[in-house]
Amino acid sequence: MRYRLTFLTGAIVGYVLGTRAGRERYEQLRKAAQRVAQNPAVRNTAESAAQNGRAAAAKAAGVVGAKVGDRLPGSVTERMRSLREQRTPADDDWGTSNT
């Protein structure tokens, strides 16, 4: 409940400040956010974080699969195996450029 109240308060404050600031301020903030997002240092950091996250997820999947693999239904195990075989390490469907 506490998190819902915090979110609701933040949404209300954002709405009030947004309506007071107007469209001009919104456009300024949007352009500033775009400049930050297009910054090469930010992009490289985001890409490396995504790669690290994928590596951690793959490692966790291996550990979980080893621990509960024999308890999973055969259809789930077969699906996981087929997905592993289809995907190569070079596949990158997250939109990152690996630069």
Side-chain angles (χ1 to χ4, degrees):
M1 183 66 183
R2 177 178 156 209
Y3 297 110
R4 287 184 190 172
L5 183 59
T6 302
F7 176 76
L8 187 59
T9 302
I12 291 170
V13 169
Y15 176 77
V16 169
L17 292 177
T19 55
R20 286 187 182 168
R23 183 72 177 182
E24 290 178 29
R25 182 66 180 148
Y26 168 77
E27 291 296 330
Q28 288 175 347
L29 292 172
R30 188 179 63 81
K31 287 178 184 177
Q34 282 180 340
R35 280 194 305 269
V36 169
Q38 293 174 356
N39 184 339
V42 173
R43 293 180 71 123
N44 287 339
T45 302
E47 287 179 11
S48 68
Q51 289 173 354
N52 290 341
R54 285 193 294 275
K59 183 178 178 182
V63 171
V64 170
K67 289 187 178 183
V68 298
D70 57 338
R71 296 184 204 143
L72 292 175
S75 60
V76 174
T77 305
E78 183 59 35
R79 179 66 179 153
M80 288 175 57
R81 185 178 301 118
S82 69
L83 288 173
R84 280 191 202 117
E85 291 171 358
Q86 289 175 3
R87 186 174 173 93
T88 61
D91 285 346
D92 187 14
D93 58 353
W94 290 90
T96 56
S97 63
N98 294 331
T99 55

